[in-house]
Every structure is written in structure tokens, then in C-alpha cells.
Amino acid sequence: MNNIDSLASPTLNPARPLRVAVIGGGPSGLMAAEALASAGPAISVQVYDAMPSVGRKFLLAGKGGLNLTHSEPAEIFLKRYGEHSLPLQALMAAFGPAELRAWAEALGVETFVGSSGLVFPKDMKAAPLLRAWLHRLRASGVRFSMRHRWLGWAEDGALKFSTPAGEVLAEADAVVLALGGGSWKRLGSDGAWVSLLQERGVAVAPLQPSNCGFDVAARPALDAAGHGETRRDFFRELVGQAPQPQSGWSEHFASRFAGQPFKSVAIRFTDSQGRSFSRKGEFVATATGVEGSLVYAASSLLRDEIAAQGSATVLLDLLPDKTPEQVLVEVRHPRGSRSLSSHLKSRLNLDGIKAGMLYELLGKEAMADPVRLAAGIKALPLRLVAVRPIDEAISSAGGVRFEGLDANLRITVPADLRPPVFCAGEMLDWEAPTGGYLLTACFATGRAAGQGVLRHFGQALLTGA
């Protein structure tokens, strides 16, 4: 060790401000810092982050328009968090969508509700909000230490950081960890904290991809004699060739449609435990499978089903605004000398990637059978066999289990963590779909952790006395 940062000793000293280290400069860490700084001179806040600047993932989230939160009723909003809604309920009641919008407007950032209920800043951008926020934090006395990557604890309980100048130690009276999940490593969320906490006996649910893409099952190819994939692979092995891939689109489909969207479609899915998902929306074909908002909304169910059963089959409705009867009538309509592709485009406006998907998954025999073709248009089985890597995911599931935290979000198991450690944001064990739910929970848990530090050390800090 070649340096020691000037923070407080773990023993509380009434003659000086309580000093708190906030590790992580995303929305949850910054919100914790703001809550702490509200105590005024009674507390000193230092934010550490591994990156050269704070809020990098937040800025990326705002690239296509910053979706801050959602305007739907509270009871529906909470259900988006699934089995994790209960531990988040009190935190959201204290700081939910309405409070988040009011907070943004206090920073001079007006918000509006879009046609789908999503809430955005009026200029759609994240950077102006972040700039105004950082200005207010600095004005309130919050200090920032960039390029400080947390390495855990020294033997005496001091915090260890890796910096460009070498390894440094820092002592604090309390620590707020807001280190993010395991996705988007290049922006700082690499999940490296998991082993550091597990080594201290903290219970952490494994990090998994959430709001993620999936690889589709490879369609079994048939040779000229009609032999299936198993025999084909056998002969490939005999001549030293690699077997056919077990996942991904055909080369024909991938070369034409990878990167293109499926618009105005719906998917239905029921897992092996009877849990169901059904929604209309959009998603995108990738080189090996699917991703996008509609897929992300079902991703937790799909991921868990693949883990339990090896695959998950969704039913894709290519024309959700038409009934099965209407589709069958149009498919059966005499097409004369027109090709099937022209017929589908003329009668049902099915072409491009939707028609390509039918040919990819149904095969020639089913495409030639009006009944099977109509059924496929309304319920096309799409088998997903693999989850894309966590670093490609929008967010992650898993994290520090709520059972090991108290109402202040302080780690209580093990009970001997000194200084006390509080947790916030995506490193907690919850997940949510895109649509403003992720950011809202990050803000709410960050605020709760900051206030939790103040409550832990007494009413005098809450009042700034």
C-alpha cells in the first residue's frame, strides 16, 4: 500500500462529521450521496467510481431517449417486479414514479408521459439531467474520486482501491455499495464485487442475464434422401467435418434478416410451472436468435425455463389483430397463378421478415397446407435454447439477498461487518423489465440506503443537528 485516503476512522467521533464512502457512481450511488448530503455539515460524503466519470450506463440509457419511469398505477407498477415486489414496496411508496418526476423537475428537467405511458424528459436526453444533478451534489459538499476500483477490505477494515497511482486505503464510518449488476462491463458493471462479499459471508444470489436476448434452436436440415440431422452429423463426423450448429438461424435467414425488426406481433408463453406471458409488441432478429423489448419483457420466464428444461418454446402471432378464422379465409382464397409469397403479401400484407420466418420454421410441406400455414401465422412455435451472455444483457438478475439486509438496507448477515455496509441499486436481488422500472428502483433503493445510514447513526443526522 502506498497511500491512505483521508476518511474517518471506523469509531464514531462526535467532534467531526460522520464520513461515508459511497462506492459506485450510477443513479443509485448518486441518489444515496444526495440523501446523505441532506444532513448538511453533520456528514461528509465521498463517492468512488472505477470509471473516469460517473453515470456512464445512465447516459447510455438515454441515448435513444431517457425513459425515467412509467406512469401506470402503483399496484400495476409494483407487479412488474414479480416475486421481488414485496421488499421493494415500502421503498417505492417513499420514492416512486411521481416522486422521481418531481425530483427531476426540481433539477430543472421537465418530464412528459408518452403515448405508451412511458415517462421521458422533455428533451429526451440524460446528459442535461446528469449535469444539473452533479452540480447540485458538488454544491452540497459531495466529493468524487474517479478511477478508484474497489478491491475489498484490508485486515483492519479499511477500504482498498486500485487507482492509476497504485493501491490506496480509505477508512470510513459507513459504506454504501452501489456497484451495479453484471451487465455492460465496459461501463463499469462487471459483478466483481460478488466474490468480495461472498468471502465475507454475505449471501448473494447468482447474477444472471435479465432483459436479454436468446439463441433459437437450429432447424434440423434434411439431405436429399430426407435423412435427418442425427444421420447427417454422423457422416460429417466420419469425414472429420464439424457438426451442424445446435442453435441459430439458417444462413439464408440470417443473411437476409439479422438486425431487422418484427413489428406488430405478439408472443405467448407458458412455462413448465404454469406461469404465463402474453403481450403484443416488437422485437428484433439477431444473427443467432431474438432480442428487443417484447422478448425482454418475457426474459425472466424464458431464462428460468431454459435453465430448468433446456429450452423454451414461445408461440409467435404474426398477425395479432386478425382472428384465426380471418387468417384461414385469406390463406385459402384462390391465388391463381400467383406465387405463395405474392398471395400472402396481397391477402394478409405478410412479407419481408414475417414471411421469411414462416419459411424458416414451417418448411415447404406446412407452407403448402393452408390449414397448417394459417395456424403457423397465428401461433408459430419458436424454440429458444440459450440465453445470450450477461455482458450483452440490458440488466442482470440476482445480487445481495434481501434476507440478509435490515430495513435500512444494511447488511446484517454476517453481523460483524465493520464499518456498517449498506447496499443499493442493481446489486440487490431484484429484476424488472425495461420501461422505466429499472431506473425507478435504482433511484428508490439508493435514496433508501442513504437515508438508512442516517437512521442507523441517529436522529441528529436526519435533522442535520
Side-chain angles (χ1 to χ4, degrees):
M1 307 296 175
N2 59 16
N3 204 346
I4 298 183
D5 280 356
S6 179
L7 281 180
S9 70
T11 304
L12 201 57
N13 183 347
R16 54 148 175 82
L18 177 80
R19 296 184 182 180
V20 182
V22 176
I23 306 178
S28 54
L30 297 180
M31 203 64 181
E34 184 164 80
L36 289 161
S38 69
I43 193 162
S44 178
V45 185
Q46 186 91 23
V47 176
Y48 295 90
D49 196 273
M51 305 304 288
S53 57
V54 299
R56 293 201 161 197
K57 196 172 179 182
F58 180 71
L59 290 174
L60 181 70
K63 236 181 171 183
L66 180 64
N67 178 199
L68 264 180
T69 187
H70 203 290
S71 62
E72 64 193 2
E75 62 274 12
I76 298 174
F77 188 93
L78 268 175
K79 287 180 180 178
R80 305 300 187 193
Y81 298 90
E83 62 186 82
H84 305 290
S85 61
L86 188 59
L88 292 173
Q89 188 170 356
L91 309 183
M92 294 290 191
F95 196 87
E99 289 77 15
L100 180 51
R101 294 186 69 185
W103 170 86
E105 293 188 12
L107 282 169
V109 177
E110 290 187 60
T111 61
F112 74 97
V113 179
S115 58
S116 58
L118 305 179
V119 176
F120 300 90
K122 278 198 170 178
D123 64 3
M124 302 294 287
K125 298 176 182 177
L129 190 152
L130 182 59
R131 281 196 300 268
W133 193 7
L134 292 176
H135 177 77
R136 188 166 75 183
L137 286 170
R138 289 189 175 100
S140 67
V142 175
R143 295 176 295 163
F144 294 86
S145 295
M146 297 296 97
R147 301 182 191 273
H148 277 58
R149 182 175 297 278
W150 185 54
L151 301 177
W153 293 270
E155 288 186 9
D156 62 357
L159 301 166
K160 293 194 297 182
F161 294 94
S162 171
T163 78
E167 198 168 291
V168 301
L169 294 178
E171 294 181 330
D173 297 309
V175 179
V176 176
L177 296 179
L179 289 157
S183 64
W184 291 88
K185 185 184 297 185
R186 66 184 177 87
L187 299 178
S189 297
D190 58 8
W193 55 267
V194 171
S195 59
L196 298 176
L197 292 187
Q198 287 178 329
E199 287 168 4
R200 300 295 294 264
V202 178
V204 180
L207 297 184
Q208 303 179 78
S210 182
N211 294 299
C212 53
F214 297 87
D215 289 341
V216 299
R219 182 183 169 201
L222 299 178
D223 59 25
H227 299 126
E229 188 72 18
T230 302
R231 184 170 177 179
R232 188 183 183 93
D233 280 349
F234 172 74
F235 284 114
R236 281 177 175 271
E237 189 176 346
L238 281 180
V239 298
Q241 293 182 3
Q244 289 287 102
Q246 298 303 301
S247 63
W249 305 113
S250 67
E251 184 180 346
H252 175 86
F253 184 89
S255 64
R256 285 160 177 77
F257 301 114
Q260 292 193 25
F262 288 90
K263 294 189 175 182
S264 298
V265 295
I267 61 173
R268 302 193 307 275
F269 173 68
T270 301
D271 69 9
S272 53
Q273 298 181 43
R275 297 176 298 179
S276 295
F277 175 90
S278 179
R279 191 173 301 177
K280 182 179 175 182
E282 299 181 3
F283 65 92
V284 175
T286 66
T288 59
V290 293
E291 66 178 18
S293 58
L294 185 57
V295 173
Y296 297 159
S299 63
S300 61
L301 283 180
L302 298 173
R303 178 198 65 220
D304 293 348
E305 183 73 357
I306 290 171
Q309 304 296 327
S311 68
T313 299
V314 302
L315 297 178
L316 175 60
D317 187 345
L318 296 173
L319 296 174
D321 295 327
K322 290 188 179 294
T323 67
E325 294 76 18
Q326 288 173 324
V327 171
L328 182 57
V329 166
E330 297 300 337
V331 170
R332 278 179 163 167
H333 191 277
R335 60 186 172 98
S337 60
R338 288 183 303 177
S339 68
L340 179 58
S341 296
S342 297
H343 179 65
L344 292 175
K345 182 176 182 180
S346 172
R347 303 302 305 183
L348 292 167
N349 198 29
L350 266 179
D351 61 353
I353 192 170
K354 289 185 178 182
M357 180 74 99
L358 288 170
Y359 282 105
E360 174 80 0
L361 297 180
L362 288 184
K364 289 183 178 180
E365 281 190 17
M367 291 294 290
D369 181 337
V371 174
R372 292 171 66 186
L373 174 55
I377 291 171
K378 290 298 294 177
L380 187 62
L382 178 62
R383 191 162 73 94
L384 309 176
V385 294
V387 184
R388 295 301 300 168
I390 191 169
D391 197 44
E392 296 179 13
I394 299 295
S395 58
S396 58
V400 177
R401 297 184 184 274
F402 282 97
E403 294 85 350
L405 304 172
D406 66 13
N408 293 326
L409 299 184
R410 180 177 65 91
I411 295 175
T412 56
V413 180
D416 60 348
L417 278 184
R418 295 291 183 273
V421 177
F422 302 74
C423 295
E426 206 178 327
M427 66 181 294
L428 295 173
D429 184 18
W430 59 271
E431 65 176 314
T434 56
Y437 309 103
L438 292 165
L439 272 179
T440 305
C442 284
F443 278 100
T445 57
R447 179 179 180 272
Q451 291 187 336
V453 174
L454 303 183
R455 279 193 295 270
H456 179 75
F457 283 98
Q459 186 63 29
L461 291 172
L462 282 171
T463 59

